[in-house]
Amino acid sequence: MIPLEHDREFYFQLLSFDEVAVNQLKPQNKSQNFLLGAFEEINNLIRGFSENDLQELLKSIESLSILEFVEEGESDAIRIFQTVNDRGKELSRMEKMKSLLFYFSDKYLDRRYDVQINKGFADIFGWYDEIKMIGEKYAINTISSDKFTEDDLFRHHHICFSQHNYDPTADEVLNNIKMCLHTLRLQKNNKDEIDKVEIDKYLSRYFNSLVGYIKAFHDVICRVKTDSAYYKLFSIQGLAVTLYPVITQLERKQFLSQLLPKRKISVLRMLEIIDLRLFKVRNYAGKKHAAEFAFCLNNEDLSRTEIEEHLTRLNSCEISNNRFKESLMNLDFHTQTGLLRTLFIDYCERLQQRQYTLDELKDIMGKNPTIEHILSQSPMFKPSALGFKHDQDFEAHVNLLGNLTLLEKKLNSSAQNGALSAKAAIYSASGFTMTTAIGTALTSKPDFQKSDLMLRGRELALEFTKWWPE
């Protein structure tokens, strides 16, 4: 049995039993990881075997029955596999789509697209594996989840391709494409024959659109490894999944790095602003507006001016600058660690008047920066002594913006519920500029009243509104 061409060379290098070569192998996708894992498991298992044990193992292997199906066409092989595999692991909707396209290519188009479909889906599954590997390595919250599968890419693409549903399930996507192809099959030309031209057009358009979409999303995610802006957006801020189709179509049209004519910022930066304002602070669902924009990008040739108009409408939807500022001042940030890390890391860059390099950002996230409460959540003081009306008044303010800063996990463990005088030295040891500034202020004035908390919150909210504008 020989693996597909993407993994073939890796497979034969494993079977070379050259220990030095095997130790130097670097898996490039999930299937190669599985191959290496299986090789190591078997190798470790038989390492302590005696000669007799090995002979018994070989006899057991030789006694196995192997059922072989030989098919010349990839599409026939897939259909047989689906039948035989019926009681095994269920095929993904992406795999079923591959089979569906093969079926129409074979039955109505003289196998015209068989080679393209085979190669295209091999690429798709390879890109998906790499997307997952990057997501797990760089802690991209959605992609690293076990729930994120190739069928999610399948769904996200369909949002751009069809307007039948702005949040379809994978089954709905499969059924929609199947219905469209079957409808075309029923159409007749002037000779009362099946109109193969329309089937050809639709199949080709869908297939090329799907492959192009997943390649573009793969290219976007790959930049997380090398570009600090993409690392910030995906690994720190955590771009909303609703915007995945939008950012992917903007990548396909090569707009992400371009400057918007009026705002003079990049399209990527504008997406970063929209995500933070609407999806993080406003908690806006936005699926309908994002889907309509993604569909428009996929089906129309938009200019930069038109792109800016679409993005501006999306950005101003539901939240003005004043409302954004008020939301920041009054938001309970108890469960908003990702949002605060984004705001605070960005703020530290502006305070030190330089941006962090990609390596510095990775180092920061590697130290697991935590959200520190200046006035501790479990206070060792009487809240009324600091200007709070009562305990409930303190509890209503403890998770507000003005009482929070960024602190390395190791230092946060030292700070815990300590007094402000003790926290001053800990803050001064932080690598975050905004936190060292608090330490310096507390050294000269070890006091932080409710009024100080409110004033700091207003100042930060105003600063963030300027940097994340409407």
Side-chain angles (χ1 to χ4, degrees):
M1 192 164 68
I2 299 175
L4 295 174
E5 58 182 86
H6 286 74
D7 304 320
R8 196 167 296 161
E9 183 179 351
F10 187 90
Y11 174 75
F12 283 116
Q13 284 178 314
L14 282 176
L15 295 187
S16 70
F17 294 99
D18 182 333
E19 191 171 347
V20 175
V22 170
N23 288 336
Q24 292 177 344
L25 283 177
K26 302 289 185 188
Q28 298 300 311
N29 55 47
K30 187 166 64 175
S31 57
Q32 290 179 12
N33 266 321
F34 287 155
L35 285 170
L36 181 59
F39 176 85
E40 291 173 344
E41 183 74 19
I42 295 169
N43 206 29
N44 291 334
L45 182 66
I46 65 174
R47 197 181 295 276
F49 277 21
S50 66
E51 185 69 27
N52 286 336
D53 292 333
L54 288 173
Q55 291 297 327
E56 288 299 317
L57 176 62
L58 289 173
K59 287 180 182 178
S60 298
I61 293 173
E62 288 173 353
S63 68
L64 292 173
S65 296
I66 298 175
L67 188 61
E68 182 179 14
F69 295 92
V70 179
E71 289 292 342
E72 293 183 4
E74 175 80 13
S75 56
D76 295 327
I78 286 177
R79 280 195 291 276
I80 287 177
F81 173 73
Q82 282 184 280
T83 304
V84 174
N85 192 61
D86 187 50
R87 294 182 181 274
K89 181 182 177 182
E90 184 183 4
L91 296 178
S92 70
R93 304 307 178 273
M94 184 79 83
E95 289 167 326
K96 290 182 178 181
M97 177 58 73
K98 177 182 179 182
S99 181
L100 177 68
L101 297 182
F102 265 132
Y103 172 80
F104 274 84
S105 172
D106 291 2
K107 190 170 181 64
Y108 302 106
L109 303 174
D110 300 319
R111 298 181 181 266
R112 182 179 307 165
Y113 292 102
D114 282 18
V115 173
Q116 289 175 249
I117 292 170
N118 190 37
K119 182 182 183 307
F121 277 88
D123 288 337
I124 283 173
F125 295 128
W127 291 327
Y128 166 74
D129 286 345
E130 191 168 0
I131 288 167
K132 284 294 288 185
M133 288 177 67
I134 294 170
E136 290 163 4
K137 181 176 180 179
Y138 294 94
I140 302 174
N141 52 9
T142 301
I143 297 174
S144 62
S145 166
D146 290 340
K147 295 180 179 179
F148 185 87
T149 70
E150 60 210 37
D151 283 351
D152 288 293
L153 300 179
F154 183 54
R155 294 189 308 105
H156 298 163
H157 162 259
H158 202 65
I159 289 168
C160 312
F161 184 79
S162 170
Q163 289 185 301
H164 95 281
N165 191 327
Y166 57 79
D167 187 22
T169 65
D171 278 326
E172 287 172 339
V173 174
L174 184 62
N175 290 334
N176 180 255
I177 299 300
K178 189 183 296 185
M179 180 188 69
C180 290
L181 285 168
H182 281 300
T183 300
L184 291 173
R185 184 189 63 178
L186 297 175
Q187 292 180 3
K188 306 294 183 179
N189 59 24
N190 293 333
K191 297 179 181 179
D192 291 329
E193 296 176 348
I194 292 174
D195 194 344
K196 296 180 180 180
V197 172
E198 292 304 315
I199 293 176
D200 190 315
K201 285 181 182 178
Y202 186 85
L203 189 151
S204 175
R205 186 168 71 89
Y206 177 78
F207 171 73
N208 289 326
S209 178
L210 179 65
V211 173
Y213 177 89
I214 296 175
K215 181 184 185 304
F217 186 70
H218 163 267
D219 292 347
V220 167
I221 297 301
C222 280
R223 292 196 194 115
V224 172
K225 300 186 295 183
T226 57
D227 191 315
S228 59
Y230 286 83
Y231 181 85
K232 273 185 180 181
L233 183 59
F234 284 95
S235 296
I236 299 177
Q237 184 168 325
L239 181 71
V241 178
T242 301
L243 290 174
Y244 279 13
V246 173
I247 196 171
T248 304
Q249 290 301 338
L250 287 167
E251 164 67 15
R252 288 193 72 186
K253 297 296 179 74
Q254 300 182 331
F255 273 114
L256 286 177
S257 62
Q258 294 192 34
L259 292 182
L260 296 173
K262 292 181 180 177
R263 290 176 179 258
K264 306 301 181 185
I265 59 174
S266 72
V267 171
L268 184 71
R269 171 60 182 159
M270 189 66 186
L271 278 180
E272 185 183 34
I273 292 171
I274 290 170
D275 175 64
L276 188 131
R277 285 173 61 92
L278 266 69
F279 295 90
K280 301 294 188 292
V281 174
R282 185 74 182 95
N283 199 24
Y284 174 63
K287 290 181 179 179
K288 182 174 183 294
H289 289 98
E292 289 173 344
F293 184 30
F295 180 83
C296 187
L297 282 166
N298 189 47
N299 294 279
E300 297 179 26
D301 291 323
L302 300 179
S303 66
R304 276 191 302 157
T305 299
E306 290 170 323
I307 294 287
E308 183 166 21
E309 289 171 356
H310 276 280
L311 291 170
T312 300
R313 281 198 298 273
L314 186 59
N315 187 41
S316 60
C317 183
E318 296 284 322
I319 187 165
S320 63
N321 276 342
N322 284 335
R323 194 170 182 180
F324 178 66
K325 183 175 68 176
E326 292 296 320
S327 295
L328 287 173
M329 287 175 56
N330 298 305
L331 186 64
D332 186 320
F333 284 92
H334 177 62
T335 59
Q336 296 280 5
T337 302
L339 169 59
L340 283 171
R341 282 176 175 171
T342 301
L343 289 169
F344 287 166
I345 287 173
D346 194 74
Y347 182 51
C348 287
E349 288 182 325
R350 294 201 300 285
L351 288 175
Q352 63 193 22
Q353 298 184 333
R354 74 171 186 87
Q355 291 189 324
Y356 290 115
T357 66
L358 178 60
D359 287 340
E360 286 173 326
L361 289 171
K362 290 178 182 177
D363 184 60
I364 287 170
M365 295 305 291
K367 293 176 181 176
N368 192 15
T370 58
I371 304 305
E372 161 69 1
H373 291 74
I374 300 170
L375 296 178
S376 302
Q377 292 173 282
S378 301
M380 305 295 289
F381 55 84
K382 201 165 182 63
S384 58
L386 297 180
F388 296 96
K389 296 177 183 178
H390 37 63
D391 289 356
Q392 290 79 10
D393 187 31
F394 172 75
E395 290 170 4
H397 287 78
V398 70
N399 292 316
L400 296 186
L401 184 62
N403 191 43
L404 306 172
T405 190
L406 205 57
L407 192 62
E408 295 84 348
K409 185 176 183 179
K410 185 176 180 179
L411 292 177
N412 202 330
S413 299
S414 303
Q416 291 194 354
N417 294 324
L420 288 175
S421 56
K423 285 187 173 185
I426 296 171
Y427 290 174
S428 297
S430 173
F432 296 111
T433 310
M434 68 179 298
T435 307
T436 56
I438 298 170
T440 302
L442 289 176
T443 301
S444 58
K445 180 178 175 288
D447 189 25
F448 195 71
Q449 302 274 334
K450 175 183 177 180
S451 57
D452 298 315
L453 184 156
M454 297 302 293
L455 176 61
R456 181 172 179 269
R458 282 194 296 271
E459 290 174 345
L460 286 175
L462 181 61
E463 172 67 21
F464 295 155
T465 303
K466 290 177 182 176
W467 193 245
W468 304 87
E470 184 179 356

